[in-house]
Amino acid sequence: DIQMTQSPSTLSASVGDRVTITCRASQSISSWLAWYQQKPGKAPKILIYKASRLESGVPSRFTGSGSGTEFTLTISSLQPDDFATYYCQQYNSSPCSFGQGTKLEIK
Amino acid sequence: QVQLQESGPGLVKPSETLSLTCTVSGGSVISGSYYWSWIRQPPGKELEWIGSIYYSGSTNYNPSLMTRVTISVDTSKNQFSLKLSSVTAADTAVYYCARCSGWYLSPFDYWGQGTLVTVSS
């Protein structure tokens, strides 16, 4: 099975900051990676798929990049609505798997 | 707009079978373009894919749960269901149903709100 490791586990930032979250796969997954945002008590919401493609309706301040085993999610200018937990997911091979999450907190 | 809604008991006794149903509205499970999935999230932990089903009944399961899981589809009711047998406290989680944006190895683009299932006597 492919293991997904995110860093950092927690990130403190302020409104307007630029932040980057990293996701590493235990083996190459090409570009078969998605990013989700989850708020407390809610289901995850897809932000990005195929490593860099923005889901319809997602603000352009979210950017995904990477391929192979290393990927990043960047939020260019944090908005109050962005404070949440972010998960990466690989769907290169079964079983698909998720990272442990990165909690983005207000500094 | 596709909507998914989980339903089922919120409390299950150890060794019994957990049963949940997902009702799809605003779309059809018969659509040949999508797989339909179950995902769970233990309290404070990461997400875990349980398995997926196609409208034809073809299924794919996480090997870690395969011996205990059955996913089925009822096209007449536009629903799909999850059964997890021999549950223990480790199966306590929020259970989500979701739509795969394509075949079973694809991102999940629509999710239900989730339902907490607690395993306890």
Side-chain angles (χ1 to χ4, degrees):
Chain A
D1 295 3
I2 297 177
Q3 310 302 316
M4 305 301 292
T5 304
Q6 290 181 231
S7 59
S9 295
T10 306
L11 180 57
S12 296
S14 302
V15 172
D17 285 354
R18 177 186 178 92
V19 298
T20 297
I21 299 169
T22 298
C23 178
R24 289 185 174 86
S26 59
Q27 62 190 74
S28 177
I29 58 170
S30 184
S31 295
W32 304 116
L33 184 102
W35 288 98
Y36 299 85
Q37 176 193 68
Q38 186 178 35
K39 296 183 178 179
K42 300 293 186 182
K45 170 190 171 184
I46 187 167
L47 301 174
I48 285 169
Y49 63 97
K50 208 169 183 186
S52 61
R53 298 187 180 179
L54 203 63
E55 180 74 3
S56 176
V58 174
S60 58
R61 63 180 180 273
F62 291 91
T63 304
S65 65
S67 66
T69 61
E70 186 152 338
F71 303 84
T72 59
L73 173 69
T74 299
I75 309 172
S76 60
S77 179
L78 276 173
Q79 300 302 302
D81 191 51
D82 299 338
F83 293 94
T85 299
Y86 293 84
Y87 293 93
C88 60
Q89 177 219 355
Q90 69 82 15
Y91 52 100
N92 177 77
S93 61
S94 186
C96 71
S97 50
F98 295 84
Q100 83 279 14
T102 294
K103 186 175 182 180
L104 181 51
E105 298 180 327
I106 300 175
K107 184 184 287 184
Chain B
Q1 177 82 341
V2 175
Q3 293 186 318
L4 297 91
Q5 178 68 58
E6 305 89 351
S7 59
L11 181 64
V12 181
K13 290 182 168 56
S15 80
E16 295 189 345
T17 296
L18 177 161
S19 296
L20 296 173
T21 295
C22 182
T23 301
V24 179
S25 58
S28 173
V29 296
I30 297 178
S31 168
S33 303
Y34 308 107
Y35 274 69
W36 304 88
S37 299
W38 287 98
I39 298 150
R40 69 180 183 178
Q41 186 172 34
K45 296 189 177 181
E46 66 204 60
L47 298 149
E48 179 181 34
W49 172 70
I50 299 170
S52 301
I53 191 165
Y54 195 54
Y55 77 94
S56 64
S58 175
T59 53
N60 299 89
Y61 297 133
N62 191 322
S64 68
L65 297 167
M66 181 181 289
T67 59
R68 299 194 291 132
V69 172
T70 302
I71 297 176
S72 58
V73 63
D74 186 335
T75 56
S76 67
K77 295 182 179 178
N78 217 29
Q79 296 175 334
F80 61 105
S81 298
L82 168 71
K83 290 188 185 300
L84 182 65
S85 63
S86 305
V87 297
T88 69
D91 295 309
T92 293
V94 175
Y95 285 76
Y96 296 100
C97 58
R99 189 184 83 170
C100 302
S101 56
W103 76 311
Y104 83 98
L105 275 178
S106 58
F108 306 103
D109 58 356
Y110 288 96
W111 297 64
Q113 65 185 25
T115 187
L116 175 63
V117 179
T118 302
V119 178
S120 175
S121 56

